[in-house]
Amino acid sequence: MSTISETGQCLCGDLKYRATAQPNHTTICHCRMCQRSTGTAFLVEPIFMRDSIELLAGEPKQYTHTSDESGLSLYVNFCGNCGSKIYQTFERFPEVIGVFAGTFDNPDWFERSPENTRHIFTRSAIKGTVLPKDFTIYEEHTRTLGQTESNEHQILTAHKLVT
């Protein structure tokens, strides 16, 4: 059995981390907060159990954001020197950590397939975004706060261009 040791860092290299397990799943989030946070159309966010991510160097600064949807806190951890966002944690899901995928040294090391990846908040997806065939698509979050059942979703039978 191979041991996972996938590293990543911020733009300047002050913050370094390592993933020691596969992500539970990957979320591709199209919400306005993730668009503003990344400066692009969506965030590719592998979700790990907290003990699967080790901080190797530096101490991140933290910004607390209150979710427009749930009213709960989301904690964005970033480099105080270069400003790169590395990961976020959630009041709603305290057992997990979401990593900004582009900060991995090899951002393609983990699989993104219809079986382990979902697109959320697609109602705010930017025009021109292509939602892929066979992936699970949610217009909102996968669950509304307090719900145990999954929100309504669809699995696309063809690629869909957001217009």
Side-chain angles (χ1 to χ4, degrees):
M1 176 186 244
S2 66
T3 301
I4 292 175
S5 181
E6 294 290 337
T7 56
Q9 67 179 41
C10 64
L11 186 61
C12 72
D14 282 358
L15 288 180
K16 297 181 184 207
Y17 67 92
R18 172 178 36 232
T20 59
Q22 288 286 336
N24 296 0
H25 64 270
T26 298
T27 297
I28 299 177
C29 186
H30 300 265
C31 79
R32 291 296 296 137
M33 181 266 177
C34 285
Q35 290 169 359
R36 286 188 177 108
S37 183
T38 63
T40 190
F42 51 83
L43 168 63
V44 177
E45 183 182 33
I47 305 293
F48 297 87
M49 298 307 293
R50 275 187 158 210
D51 62 359
S52 298
I53 300 294
E54 300 172 354
L55 197 57
L56 302 175
E59 188 62 40
K61 291 195 175 223
Q62 190 175 84
Y63 165 70
T64 301
H65 177 79
T66 302
S67 168
D68 295 336
E69 297 294 321
S70 70
L72 298 176
S73 294
L74 163 69
Y75 309 100
V76 180
N77 292 265
F78 63 96
C79 176
N81 186 44
C82 69
S84 298
K85 292 162 210 71
I86 300 294
Y87 64 89
Q88 49 194 15
T89 56
F90 315 90
E91 179 181 6
R92 184 175 178 184
F93 307 108
E95 69 282 1
V96 300
I97 185 169
V99 175
F100 285 70
T103 64
F104 276 109
D105 294 333
N106 174 7
D108 287 322
W109 76 269
F110 60 95
E111 181 182 9
R112 289 174 286 280
S113 69
E115 293 75 34
N116 73 354
T117 303
R118 58 205 181 188
H119 288 252
I120 65 172
F121 291 108
T122 59
R123 73 166 187 270
S124 55
I126 291 176
K127 290 179 183 177
T129 299
V130 177
L131 300 174
K133 174 185 176 195
D134 298 329
F135 282 73
T136 305
I137 308 296
Y138 292 85
E139 284 192 2
E140 298 179 0
H141 200 284
T142 58
R143 284 195 179 88
T144 303
L145 188 62
Q147 273 187 320
T148 56
E149 296 297 315
S150 182
N151 278 335
E152 186 175 323
H153 61 278
Q154 60 180 320
I155 297 176
L156 299 178
T157 57
H159 298 308
K160 178 181 177 185
L161 179 66
V162 177
T163 56

